[in-house]
Amino acid sequence: MQALLLGSDPAAGLPGGWTLPIANRPWIEHWIAQGREQGIVDLVVAVGMQDEMDIRSLLGDGTRYGMRIAYLTGSEPLGTAGTIKLAEPLLQERFIVLHADAVHAFRLDDLMAYHAERAAAATICLTPGGRYSPHGVVTVDSESEVLSLVPGPSPHNAPSNLNNSGVYMMSKSALSLIPEGRYVSLENETFPLLIGNGSKISGYIPDTYCMLTTTPESYVQLHWDLLDRRLPLSISGTEMNERGIWIGKGAIIGKGVLLVPPVVIGDYARIGDKAIVGPYTVIGPYCTVGQGARISRTIVPARSAVNDSSRLSERVFGSGATVAEASL
């Protein structure tokens, strides 16, 4: 099985995209662990020039993950469909397309089987509930065939509660309708064209987790879902006596420290004496937390320093290059 990973649009969500840390691990590494276990061995990563070096240095050629990774970069934005068209020579007859902002636990092997059974030109993974997605809202018929995809409607004008997750299975034949060399949106142009000309576009509703990380609030919520184990991604570190406390390698915990689960302490972090950390807190690797500090419901990025006796609650720092306070 093959997957094409589309780079993120910073204007559409949080900075960072595939390198956005989730419990101290880049989302792309979480996803690769999922994908490899489900039989994905070929990966095409389409990223902007500003992200290319970070992702290449992280993933290399994929050997250490048991994958083959090819990179596709360009100096001009081509949109989702335009990027897929550019990648066409690298793609197999059927391939999965993933947006960086969809943090999910979909069974992609089940998606491929569903797509093949229906002989669809494309299959869109749908998430019920709510009436907004940056990738559009979808209506389907009784056979789960897509009737319409409305890009970015307001919640009051959405035609259904089926959100486009930004995860697709596509057949290469669908690419014949994508013009070359210009900006083309898959969601705004190509999918509506396919629906309009009678091509089969199937809707697939996985019974698994998906969160679109488009705001600081959604970024925080997926961490809490992960710590509550509703999101089944791995958490780095060693869980202490199955108590919801994960401590990374080389971490130093001072005297009289109280760790209130669920809490994650990153690799080589230092927690000062008599600090109270948690609940619902992620301390990044190489962080220093001062003596007597109290931190709860907060995400602290790698290499940060929290001063002695500080009080932090309900904050997310450093989602990408920004500092933001979440309204929880």
Side-chain angles (χ1 to χ4, degrees), residues 124 126 131 136-142 144-150 157-164 195 201-203:
I124 302 174
L126 305 174
R131 290 177 176 268
V137 175
V138 171
T139 60
V140 299
D141 64 17
S142 59
S144 295
E145 300 303 316
V146 175
L147 299 174
S148 69
L149 191 162
V150 180
N157 296 323
S160 80
N161 70 339
L162 293 176
N163 292 328
N164 174 5
I195 295 166
I201 309 295
S202 292

Side-chain angles (χ1 to χ4, degrees), residues 239-245:
E239 187 175 9
M240 310 307 292
N241 300 321
E242 298 184 353
R243 293 176 54 203
I245 297 172

Side-chain angles (χ1 to χ4, degrees), residues 29 52 77 110 140 173 178 187 218 240 280 307 319 327:
E29 283 199 340
E52 180 185 2
D110 290 345
V140 299
S173 58
I178 302 174
E187 294 79 12
S218 59
M240 310 307 292
Y280 294 99
N307 294 333
S319 51
S327 301

Side-chain angles (χ1 to χ4, degrees), residues 61-252:
D61 64 359
T63 300
R64 71 188 183 96
Y65 299 99
M67 285 188 171
R68 294 182 292 270
I69 299 179
Y71 294 91
L72 182 71
T73 59
S75 58
E76 295 184 10
L78 292 174
T80 46
T83 300
I84 294 170
K85 185 67 174 180
L86 188 64
E88 186 171 11
L90 301 174
L91 298 175
Q92 299 169 359
E93 287 305 311
R94 293 193 183 103
F95 56 95
I96 292 164
V97 177
L98 302 107
H99 281 278
D101 60 6
V103 176
H104 62 89
F106 295 160
R107 291 294 312 188
L108 300 176
D109 45 1
D110 290 345
L111 168 62
M112 184 174 185
Y114 182 91
H115 177 84
E117 177 184 339
R118 289 172 170 251
T123 299
I124 302 174
C125 285
L126 305 174
T127 55
R131 290 177 176 268
Y132 174 76
S133 164
H135 308 303
V137 175
V138 171
T139 60
V140 299
D141 64 17
S142 59
E143 301 298 321
S144 295
E145 300 303 316
V146 175
L147 299 174
S148 69
L149 191 162
V150 180
S154 71
H156 301 295
N157 296 323
S160 80
N161 70 339
L162 293 176
N163 292 328
N164 174 5
S165 70
V167 177
Y168 317 122
M169 186 88 204
M170 296 188 69
S171 296
K172 207 170 181 179
S173 58
L175 306 190
S176 63
L177 296 178
I178 302 174
E180 296 183 13
R182 70 168 176 87
Y183 186 99
V184 189
S185 168
L186 193 63
E187 294 79 12
N188 294 358
E189 186 172 341
T190 305
F191 281 154
L193 181 61
L194 288 166
I195 295 166
N197 73 8
S199 298
K200 180 176 283 191
I201 309 295
S202 292
Y204 178 62
I205 304 177
D207 187 22
T208 50
Y209 185 97
C210 182
M211 171 77 74
L212 293 178
T213 54
T214 54
T215 64
E217 291 82 5
S218 59
Y219 180 65
V220 170
Q221 187 59 55
L222 74 88
H223 275 83
W224 302 169
D225 291 344
L226 175 62
L227 293 178
D228 283 336
R229 308 314 289 142
R230 290 194 291 270
L231 170 57
L233 301 181
S234 62
I235 297 177
S236 58
T238 300
E239 187 175 9
M240 310 307 292
N241 300 321
E242 298 184 353
R243 293 176 54 203
I245 297 172
W246 289 266
I247 298 179
K249 65 182 179 181
I252 298 175

